[in-house]
Amino acid sequence: MCTNEYVNCEYVFNWEIKNFSFCWQIENEKICSPDFSTELIENTEWTCGLYPKGEDGYSVGCYLIRMADDKGPLLIDIDYDIIFLNANSSVLEECCNCKYTYSKGSSNNGYPQFMAKKDIILPHDTLIIRCKLRRSCEKTTNVVEQFARTVIRVDQKLYDWNISEFRKMKPDEKKSISIKLTSRKDLLSLDLFLSAGEYFEKIVLVSISSSLKSIKFVTVKLFLKDTEGNTVECGQKEFCSGEVENFKIIPLTFAKNKLIRKKDLYLKDDQLSLCCVTAFTTGIAFEGIGRTISGNFNRRDEDNKILQKNILSLKDDVKSLYNDPALSDMTLCTETKSYPAHIAILCARSPVFKAMFSSDMKESIRRKVDILDLNDDTVQRMLLYMYTDTLENLQWESALSLYKAADKYNVVSLRNQCVSFIERHLTPINVCEVLALADRHQDEDFKSILQNYIVNNQGEVLDLKEWKLFVKSNSELAAESLLKICMED
């Protein structure tokens, strides 16, 4: 862990990047923070360089760069820390006590693979990079802290795409739509077609070609609509305008035969209805340094300790409610046990519970919720997390069960924690089990993580009996994963 926030450092630079997932830079291309000047460190000037796709497309790189035209000495010895945090100030990754002799304009010192992209979980899509600088072999009690912000502009557009005579479609037939995103002739062309027959069930595919003038990065999400107006995400793709490939394939999460079997729900008058949601950026909406704080770190350290003590006290107080049923006003009931709880806490953590107790549903009237599809251990773990934001002694099976519970009650932060744990413990033997789970819960982001694991470990996964059983029980999902392998190859 890095040292205390202010001890032995003269400058702390906090750079917040909002809408981080829309960084459009390709491999070996950086986005820079606003420049910052450190008067206490020989009037040197600096910037942070972030490489959202690193060198390999799978990592995020980060560099501390000295400006070429500052007023400081030709050479200066610097110790520094680089820390990645999310918007909740949780540390994602850190490199501490780095040392380097910087010359003017020196930009080659840093970490090309600071952190794997897949490990960056940002509930608010905001990444904070904290850089702490100090001169080598020197100590100080005076600290300057600055806060900078870069906001990436994101626009979103929705389009309905109705495909007529879907059941009559042949493999060589295409249904097309052209989407104009901006007034500057930024265009997307989508073609829907069927797989050529490699699999028993015809997979539905959508190809995307683009002509992007001002747009730098775009995401495309497709949703299947039923006759009752409900939607479910069925495929997505993201790409930069600067990428060499300008042609993308999205394998949708349903087959033609599956839709035909449920034609009354999905194919009214033989029309397939999709909703296309595009989100895109044309660049940076705002960047600059917002505020500066300076002072003695000893005093600030004491203030921080008081704040942390208050936070811990608050967590202890809320946990005491969890341990004391005296003031509870509702009950969660499994098949074998009952758990007293507080409506206010559950509604604050779960929009599902909030909707339940904000209406005339029987649970609101009875002050009792029957949870017969979850076991006692899972309900108890979910309640503990909702009261204290902590997970205790999580294991593989309990993580899978807790993921189901978090998804059912839409406790997003808990679901993200479970996904992160499961991803760290993936093996070629267990990945198929989890892929089926993610598919049942229509979790496309999680599915993508698992299918990427299969692509990267296909030599081991495809030879196992677990895969062969998976193909028999989940033929459509297996075909989709195989198609992804073929596309990656």
Side-chain angles (χ1 to χ4, degrees):
M1 295 291 292
C2 291
T3 58
N4 176 278
E5 191 68 62
Y6 304 106
V7 173
N8 296 342
C9 65
E10 295 164 289
Y11 194 90
V12 180
F13 179 69
N14 301 279
W15 179 27
E16 176 186 283
I17 306 173
K18 187 171 179 57
N19 298 324
F20 170 76
S21 64
F22 283 84
C23 286
W24 61 87
Q25 289 73 18
I26 59 176
E27 288 89 339
N28 291 310
E29 191 171 283
K30 69 178 179 291
I31 179 174
C32 286
S33 73
D35 301 345
F36 56 96
S37 176
T38 57
E39 294 181 7
L40 296 177
I41 309 180
E42 305 288 347
N43 288 311
T44 49
E45 296 183 9
W46 308 81
T47 186
C48 281
L50 183 74
Y51 292 76
K53 291 191 176 179
E55 295 178 344
D56 55 8
Y58 301 101
S59 304
V60 175
C62 191
Y63 288 74
L64 175 64
I65 302 169
R66 184 181 174 190
M67 307 301 289
D69 56 352
D70 70 25
K71 299 177 181 178
L74 180 62
L75 298 174
I76 187 168
D77 293 329
I78 290 293
D79 293 356
Y80 65 93
D81 308 327
I82 296 178
I83 309 164
F84 278 14
L85 309 100
N86 63 24
N88 300 324
S89 296
S90 298
V91 174
L92 303 173
E93 187 60 88
E94 58 185 0
C95 286
C96 305
N97 301 316
C98 313
K99 299 177 183 293
Y100 192 71
T101 301
Y102 275 92
S103 60
K104 291 188 177 184
S106 180
S107 61
N108 61 345
N109 188 59
Y111 299 90
Q113 297 179 339
F114 186 84
M115 187 175 182
K117 279 186 63 178
K118 64 182 181 62
D119 294 331
I120 298 180
I121 299 174
L122 303 173
H124 304 287
D125 203 16
T126 297
L127 175 66
I128 299 172
I129 301 168
R130 178 169 294 160
C131 222
K132 296 160 60 178
L133 284 71
R134 53 198 172 272
R135 284 170 292 187
S136 298
C137 303
E138 294 193 23
K139 295 183 179 181
T140 182
T141 59
N142 193 52
V143 179
V144 175
E145 186 169 16
Q146 276 193 327
F147 298 83
R149 196 168 186 234
T150 296
V151 180
I152 298 173
R153 173 176 176 169
V154 176
D155 295 299
Q156 182 171 289
K157 290 193 174 183
L158 286 73
Y159 297 85
D160 289 326
W161 187 9
N162 298 317
I163 294 98
S164 59
E165 298 184 330
F166 176 76
R167 284 186 289 174
K168 297 178 182 179
M169 282 189 67
K170 297 183 174 14
D172 59 349
E173 185 179 357
K174 291 184 177 181
K175 302 284 188 175
S176 304
I177 184 175
S178 182
I179 298 174
K180 185 178 180 181
L181 299 179
T182 70
S183 59
R184 299 183 182 180
K185 297 184 179 179
D186 292 283
L187 299 174
L188 293 180
S189 297
L190 278 61
D191 295 317
L192 183 140
F193 59 100
L194 305 177
S195 61
E198 292 90 341
Y199 312 111
F200 176 72
E201 292 188 311
K202 294 289 189 296
I203 297 174
V204 183
L205 306 169
V206 172
S207 67
I208 304 174
S209 57
S210 61
S211 174
L212 303 180
K213 306 299 183 184
S214 61
I215 289 176
K216 299 178 181 295
F217 179 84
V218 61
T219 67
V220 178
K221 289 187 178 182
L222 295 171
F223 294 82
L224 174 64
K225 295 198 297 186
D226 63 25
T227 55
E228 298 175 355
N230 301 312
T231 61
V232 59
E233 187 177 333
C234 59
Q236 64 175 343
K237 187 66 70 175
E238 59 182 42
F239 52 93
C240 299
S241 60
E243 289 180 335
V244 176
E245 293 182 72
N246 206 23
F247 187 80
K248 305 289 180 184
I249 297 288
I250 305 178
L252 303 190
T253 57
F254 52 80
K256 180 180 179 182
N257 291 0
K258 179 180 178 180
L259 293 178
I260 292 175
R261 287 195 296 269
K262 298 182 178 180
K263 62 181 183 297
D264 292 339
L265 183 60
Y266 294 115
L267 297 175
K268 183 179 180 181
D269 300 325
D270 199 17
Q271 177 176 279
L272 175 66
S273 295
L274 299 176
C275 178
C276 178
V277 179
T278 61
F280 55 90
T281 180
T282 54
I284 292 173
F286 169 83
E287 61 180 345
I289 293 177
R291 58 192 174 101
T292 302
I293 302 173
S294 61
N296 187 293
F297 81 78
N298 288 322
R299 176 60 187 166
R300 297 171 72 179
D301 190 37
E302 287 300 317
D303 291 343
N304 271 350
K305 287 180 179 178
I306 293 172
L307 177 61
Q308 290 298 322
K309 186 176 180 180
N310 289 340
I311 292 173
L312 291 173
S313 176
L314 176 61
K315 289 184 71 173
D316 289 341
D317 290 343
V318 176
K319 189 174 182 178
S320 69
L321 289 176
Y322 171 75
N323 293 324
D324 183 3
L327 297 177
S328 63
D329 51 6
M330 59 89 63
T331 307
L332 301 182
C333 299
T334 67
E335 288 187 339
T336 56
K337 287 187 178 181
S338 297
Y339 297 90
H342 302 80
I343 292 176
I345 298 291
L346 269 58
C347 289
R349 300 305 301 261
S350 163
V352 175
F353 279 120
K354 184 176 181 180
M356 189 183 296
F357 288 102
S358 300
S359 65
D360 294 329
M361 295 176 65
K362 63 179 182 179
E363 289 85 358
S364 177
I365 299 171
R366 296 166 56 211
R367 299 297 176 100
K368 175 183 174 184
V369 179
D370 293 322
I371 308 179
L372 306 182
D373 56 336
L374 299 176
N375 60 38
D376 296 336
D377 179 71
T378 301
V379 172
Q380 194 167 2
R381 287 177 182 274
M382 180 177 70
L383 272 176
L384 180 64
Y385 182 85
M386 295 173 85
Y387 276 80
T388 67
D389 218 34
T390 58
L391 293 173
E392 295 181 352
N393 301 319
L394 198 60
Q395 302 296 323
W396 178 259
E397 291 300 330
S398 57
L400 295 180
S401 299
L402 202 53
Y403 169 84
K404 299 174 189 175
D407 188 65
K408 176 179 179 180
Y409 293 104
N410 198 18
V411 187
V412 176
S413 60
L414 175 57
R415 185 176 62 195
N416 290 340
Q417 294 254 31
C418 292
V419 168
S420 181
F421 176 91
I422 293 168
E423 185 181 359
R424 293 196 303 272
H425 294 81
L426 282 176
T427 68
I429 293 176
N430 64 30
V431 67
C432 292
E433 173 191 12
V434 188
L435 180 56
L437 173 66
D439 185 60
R440 286 197 299 273
H441 286 264
Q442 300 176 355
D443 191 337
E444 296 303 317
D445 291 336
F446 195 17
K447 271 180 61 178
S448 180
I449 291 172
L450 299 167
Q451 288 176 328
N452 285 335
Y453 180 90
I454 293 174
V455 169
N456 295 330
N457 298 273
Q458 55 185 285
E460 297 176 74
V461 175
L462 302 187
D463 285 337
L464 293 172
K465 65 178 182 180
E466 283 79 8
W467 173 258
K468 295 176 175 61
L469 293 172
F470 178 73
V471 170
K472 290 181 180 179
S473 59
N474 297 273
S475 58
E476 184 179 329
L477 186 55
E480 178 188 326
S481 302
L482 286 171
L483 181 62
K484 186 161 188 172
I485 291 175
C486 294
M487 291 167 59
E488 291 290 335
D489 291 342

